[in-house]
Every structure is written in structure tokens, then in C-alpha cells.
Amino acid sequence: MASSSSYSNSPCAACKFLRRKCLADCIFAPYFPPEEPTKFANVHKIFGASNVSKLLHEVHPHQREDAVNSLAYEAEARMKDPVYGCVGAISILQRQVIRLQKELDATNADLVRYASGGARPYGRRAAAQSGVCFISPLNSNDRHDPYCHDKEEEN
């Protein structure tokens, strides 16, 4: 008896997208539920339904969910950035980690100097008192700093 997907009464997102009947043994049904149509649409556009089906048949059943999640992530990244995909996102994050590590190293060096009595306190409040303002590297669009006062505002 060929019924619709065993997971629900409606066809899975893949079968719905491909306009075919969703059978009980549909390879896509467990991984592309009907409530997530864009997940399959993106994967289909980037990789093709036939290639995804072949891949899912070649992968061990316990690895299929991870494979689909990886394909969906890469497909979404490729939709946003067709040239670099998720590699572009990874590269941006790696550069951010390097920049933050350098900032942390510099801050730790300042703390060591302060603890040894070789320098004045170095922080937002102390810097604001000396007339220096900081912009956070994590959110450069946010120019508001509660410890930073413009000289013009004070006049």
C-alpha cells in the first residue's frame, strides 16, 4: 500500500517541490519535513535532487541527518554568497578570532603592566577620564560608549 510519507499525511518538502507522490520509503521524508520547504528548495537548487538522493543512499543511515544538515548549511551559504559559500563565512570568523585574540593579548599585557605598577589603569572608564574613547571591534556600527564623552557635549 503506497501511502504518503509515514511521518505525516502531507508529502515531504522534497516530493511536494518535485510534484511527485511521497511514498512510505521516500529517502527525503525523514530529513525534509513539509514545514521546511525552503530547506529542500535551496539544496535542490545547489546540488540537485538526484545527487542528494544518490548521496543519501550511499551514506550510512545514522549519518544521513548530519549529511542533510551539512548540505542545507552549504546550500544556504551558497545562496547568500555564490562564490565562497560557507568557506567565506568561515574565513570571516577566523579573521575575527585572530583580531580578538590580538586584542585579548594586548589587554592581558596591559593588565600585567598595571599589576606590576608600571602603568596607569587601562580601561574604558580610565581612558574616558584621560580623554580617550574606544570603539568596540565587535560592533563598529555602535558608536555609543557610556564612558566616552565628546568635548563638545560637555561645553
Side-chain angles (χ1 to χ4, degrees):
M1 181 169 130
S3 65
S4 63
S5 169
S6 62
Y7 297 93
S8 68
N9 291 334
S10 63
C12 70
C15 291
K16 194 173 201 176
F17 183 88
L18 299 170
R19 295 183 180 162
R20 66 183 193 191
K21 187 169 183 159
C22 190
L23 303 175
D25 62 344
C26 175
I27 191 78
F28 298 119
Y31 315 106
F32 297 102
E35 31 320 311
E36 297 180 29
T38 56
K39 180 179 178 182
F40 180 77
N42 290 344
V43 169
H44 172 65
K45 185 171 184 172
I46 302 299
F47 300 106
S50 177
N51 290 331
V52 174
S53 175
K54 288 176 190 173
L55 179 102
L56 291 176
H57 280 101
E58 291 175 8
V59 172
H60 294 290
H62 69 277
Q63 295 175 321
R64 289 179 182 163
E65 186 175 358
D66 289 336
V68 167
N69 289 337
S70 293
L71 290 172
Y73 181 80
E74 176 63 25
E76 187 177 331
R78 285 275 169 193
M79 298 295 281
K80 292 177 183 174
D81 183 355
V83 175
Y84 294 109
C86 67
V87 173
I90 291 167
S91 178
I92 289 168
L93 292 172
Q94 285 176 332
R95 285 191 303 251
Q96 187 178 19
V97 166
I98 290 168
R99 188 180 71 240
L100 291 172
Q101 185 62 52
K102 288 179 182 177
E103 184 179 336
L104 180 62
D105 292 344
T107 302
N108 283 334
D110 289 339
L111 286 172
V112 167
R113 275 197 306 273
Y114 174 68
S116 67
R120 292 181 53 188
Y122 189 71
R124 288 182 182 263
R125 190 174 300 235
Q129 291 169 351
S130 66
V132 176
C133 295
F134 289 96
I135 303 297
S136 170
L138 293 177
N139 191 1
S140 60
N141 295 332
D142 182 15
R143 301 287 186 205
H144 176 72
D145 186 338
Y147 299 118
C148 183
H149 303 287
D150 288 338
K151 302 287 183 195
E152 296 171 9
E153 289 179 6
E154 293 176 0
N155 292 336

